[in-house]
Amino acid sequence: MRRGDVLALLLAVSILPPLYAVLWHDGRGGDYARILVGGQQRELVSLHEDRTLEVSGELGVSTLEVKEGQIRFLASPCPGQQCVHNGWIHFGGDVLTCLPNKISIAILGGEQRFDSVNF
């Protein structure tokens, strides 16, 4: 390694921590959760008020929990329980769905982490 290589490496190493601190963040969480049942808006819930909700879907009642600015499926009558296992969401643009029960939750407000998501 030459002296220029060492200087370039030191410059890169010294610049990375400040860039990481400034640019790498999770963003601000959302303010509301929109609950849809069968594609129709059922309720708009504030994420700043802790509570438990029961939402009736096609298969039965799903229980949702709002706590500390987050929301999740606590229980659902669907087979597989994927919606329950997905856990908490809180960023603007995050979505949770229970496809068999036709219930979905979308976070509104806050800073969105992605402009699009593809599967």
Side-chain angles (χ1 to χ4, degrees), residues 5-111:
D5 296 333
V6 172
L7 287 174
L9 182 62
L10 288 175
L11 178 65
V13 168
S14 67
I15 232 171
L16 284 176
L19 285 175
Y20 179 82
V22 171
L23 299 176
W24 187 269
H25 62 88
D26 286 334
R28 191 174 71 78
D31 298 316
Y32 295 95
R34 179 187 306 152
I35 300 171
L36 303 172
V37 178
Q40 303 295 319
Q41 183 168 322
R42 172 74 172 270
E43 195 168 348
L44 192 63
V45 177
S46 172
L47 294 177
H48 304 293
E49 179 184 326
D50 295 354
R51 61 190 270 200
T52 303
L53 300 127
E54 292 189 348
V55 180
S56 296
E58 188 171 291
L59 297 179
V61 176
S62 289
T63 305
L64 309 177
E65 181 181 20
V66 178
K67 188 174 183 180
E68 299 173 3
Q70 306 176 94
I71 190 167
R72 70 174 175 163
F73 278 93
L74 190 58
S76 191
C78 61
Q81 300 287 299
Q82 276 304 116
C83 55
V84 175
H85 297 303
N86 280 328
W88 297 97
I89 60 171
H90 64 281
F91 293 115
D94 283 352
V95 177
L96 270 180
T97 59
C98 180
L99 292 177
N101 210 17
K102 296 189 178 178
I103 297 175
S104 65
I105 306 166
I107 303 296
L108 306 175
E111 188 176 311

Side-chain angles (χ1 to χ4, degrees), residues 92-93 111-118:
E111 188 176 311
Q112 295 192 8
R113 295 186 297 170
F114 310 105
D115 26 335
S116 68
V117 177
N118 294 315

